[in-house]
Amino acid sequence: MRCVLFYHAFTSCWNNGNAHFLRGVARELHALGHDVIVYEPADGWSRLNAIQDGGTEVLAQVPQLFPGIDIRAYDGSLDLDEALDAADLVVVHEWNSPDLVRRIGRRRTQGGSFALLFHDTHHRAITAPEQVEQFDLDGFDGVLAFGEVLRLIYLRMGWANRAFTWHEAADTKLYHPLPRIERQHDVVWIGNWGDGERGAELVDYLINPTVALGLQTRIYGVRYPLVALRTIAAANIQFGGWLPAHLAPEAFAAARATVHVPRAPYARALPGIPTIRLFEAMACGIPLVSAPWDDVEELFPPGSYLRAADPAQMTRALQLLRDDPELASATAEAGLQTVLTHHTCAHRVLELLDIVEQIRGVRLSATQAEYEGAAS
């Protein structure tokens, strides 16, 4: 197939946790022999902030990591006649503008033969539903929702007639154990402070437990407010700033453990949706302890990570991983095998192709019904 993917950012991962999965999907589609074209705005906020943060060289490295992917940055309004020419599958990520979403949907209703899917990987459906309502999805064949609870919201709100659960996963071609890298510190955290959505949780489940245990800790991320930076410095924790996504495996390999702290909307109102970091850490073979979240879809079996119901349990779990190398090794191995068995980008691409076949089947049935109705 000719697969055309519209992303807000592909070459940049600055404040763009979706980049890992979106890149991995493009990689696996190409590996199966499909032509993959990615469109991203040249002036997207992720790209511009990455460049300002000194990421020009980093952005140039990304195409080299994904050979065969045709990445096209565009200025201003996109020429959809050219972009959609001969397309078989079109996926539009939800961080695109409502206007672009509407224009692509209109092309589909005006006779486009491609399968058209809208991909949602955010909590706006519950925290800012008015933003989701701006998207005109009438011309879309369905929604790819990164959790069952989000899929049901789309259907209940009438935003889409068809929606599919399509979780994120790990690009194991890039995210995998690196045993030759020496463990240099005890705990690593990769992620943003959270725009008020998990600041308190990071203090309770990351900073305070590691300080209490005297663990050497390193934090990476962007958009940390001054109060957060002061809290980190006061805790004698190393702050590394922006870490490009493709360097995360090295950061995981250099630490003995990591922590999963979901944003409040996911932990409280969107059960079953983990952060991408959980997939990443497991794929890289590092033991993980998670703050509370409800794995209602049973993505990760018992033993693949340690669970902490409160800050005290988080402290005890990190202490166990520090003091019991066998437990740490077993937890890391169980998490790695879970990802390799169920949660790679290769798995998700096969799911995507199955969804496309379902869409084609529905279309064929509808066409036959129209034909029979006209004939009668």
Side-chain angles (χ1 to χ4, degrees):
M1 295 190 299
R2 183 180 180 88
C3 305
V4 183
L5 314 177
F6 293 90
Y7 297 159
H8 169 76
F10 185 88
T11 52
S12 173
C13 65
W14 195 98
N15 198 50
N16 178 21
N18 303 127
H20 167 191
F21 179 60
L22 301 180
R23 292 169 176 175
V25 167
R27 182 201 300 279
E28 295 299 338
L29 281 170
H30 179 262
L32 290 176
H34 302 291
D35 294 328
V36 182
I37 303 172
V38 176
Y39 283 93
E40 63 176 4
D43 61 350
W45 52 260
S46 181
R47 279 173 53 89
L48 294 181
N49 278 284
I51 293 171
Q52 185 176 3
D53 209 357
T56 304
E57 182 179 346
V58 172
L59 299 189
Q61 294 172 2
V62 173
Q64 302 172 33
L65 296 170
F66 299 88
I69 308 301
D70 186 353
I71 307 169
R72 302 180 182 181
Y74 61 91
D75 293 302
S77 182
L78 182 62
D79 183 350
L80 290 184
D81 288 333
E82 177 185 352
L84 298 175
D85 182 45
D88 298 296
L89 169 64
V90 177
V91 178
V92 185
H93 191 250
E94 43 91 15
W95 277 119
N96 284 286
S97 71
D99 178 65
L100 179 61
V101 173
R102 177 189 57 79
R103 290 174 58 210
I104 295 174
R106 181 173 296 179
R107 293 303 177 101
R108 171 66 185 81
T109 59
Q110 292 174 343
S113 60
F114 50 84
L116 178 58
L117 292 162
F118 183 75
H119 186 199
D120 193 338
T121 57
H122 202 262
H123 57 63
R124 289 187 292 176
I126 60 164
T127 58
E130 69 282 357
Q131 294 183 19
V132 181
E133 290 171 351
Q134 295 180 48
F135 294 116
D136 180 358
L137 302 181
D138 287 346
F140 283 69
D141 291 299
V143 170
L144 299 171
F146 76 147
E148 174 68 6
V149 62
L150 184 59
R151 184 186 77 86
L152 294 176
I153 289 173
Y154 266 87
L155 297 178
R156 185 172 66 247
M157 297 299 292
W159 294 335
N161 294 324
R162 190 186 300 120
F164 306 89
T165 299
W166 198 50
H167 282 284
E168 293 183 306
D171 176 9
T172 51
K173 302 296 191 302
L174 184 60
Y175 292 79
H176 53 78
L178 298 172
R180 294 183 180 180
I181 293 182
E182 182 183 356
R183 306 288 184 182
Q184 299 175 2
H185 41 276
D186 298 307
V187 174
V188 65
W189 157 263
I190 304 173
N192 299 338
W193 191 252
D195 300 321
E197 295 172 353
R198 62 178 170 202
E201 289 82 359
L202 285 173
V203 172
D204 290 341
Y205 288 93
L206 174 63
I207 294 177
N208 288 346
T210 57
V211 169
L213 295 170
L215 300 178
Q216 186 178 17
T217 304
R218 182 171 295 178
I219 291 177
Y220 295 97
V222 300
R223 298 181 68 184
Y224 277 67
L226 182 60
V227 63
L229 295 175
R230 287 174 175 171
T231 300
I232 292 170
N236 199 29
I237 291 174
Q238 299 175 17
F239 181 69
W242 175 40
L243 181 72
H246 60 279
L247 300 181
E250 296 178 14
F252 283 128
R256 297 177 180 84
T258 190
V259 172
H260 172 243
V261 183
R263 293 173 182 261
Y266 298 118
R268 299 170 187 169
L270 289 173
I273 299 178
T275 73
I276 189 65
R277 304 302 179 190
L278 202 144
F279 294 110
E280 291 178 353
M282 289 186 181
C284 290
I286 181 174
L288 178 145
V289 187
S290 178
W293 75 287
D294 194 353
D295 186 11
V296 295
E297 297 187 53
E298 298 182 343
L299 298 175
F300 306 101
S304 53
Y305 67 96
L306 303 185
R307 306 175 187 226
D310 54 48
Q313 286 191 13
M314 175 63 75
T315 303
R316 287 196 293 272
L318 288 173
Q319 184 176 19
L320 279 173
L321 291 178
R322 180 192 66 184
D323 298 341
D324 190 339
E326 291 186 2
L327 173 64
S329 178
T331 302
E333 180 62 22
L336 174 60
Q337 292 306 315
T338 295
V339 166
L340 294 179
T341 305
H342 301 289
H343 305 305
T344 70
C345 287
H347 288 107
R348 297 299 183 262
V349 163
L350 293 179
E351 294 171 7
L352 176 61
L353 297 179
D354 182 63
I355 289 170
V356 172
E357 288 304 310
Q358 292 181 51
I359 290 171
R360 287 174 171 168
V362 169
R363 281 195 194 170
L364 181 60
S365 298
T367 301
Q368 290 175 336
E370 292 175 2
Y371 174 79
E372 293 171 357
S376 61

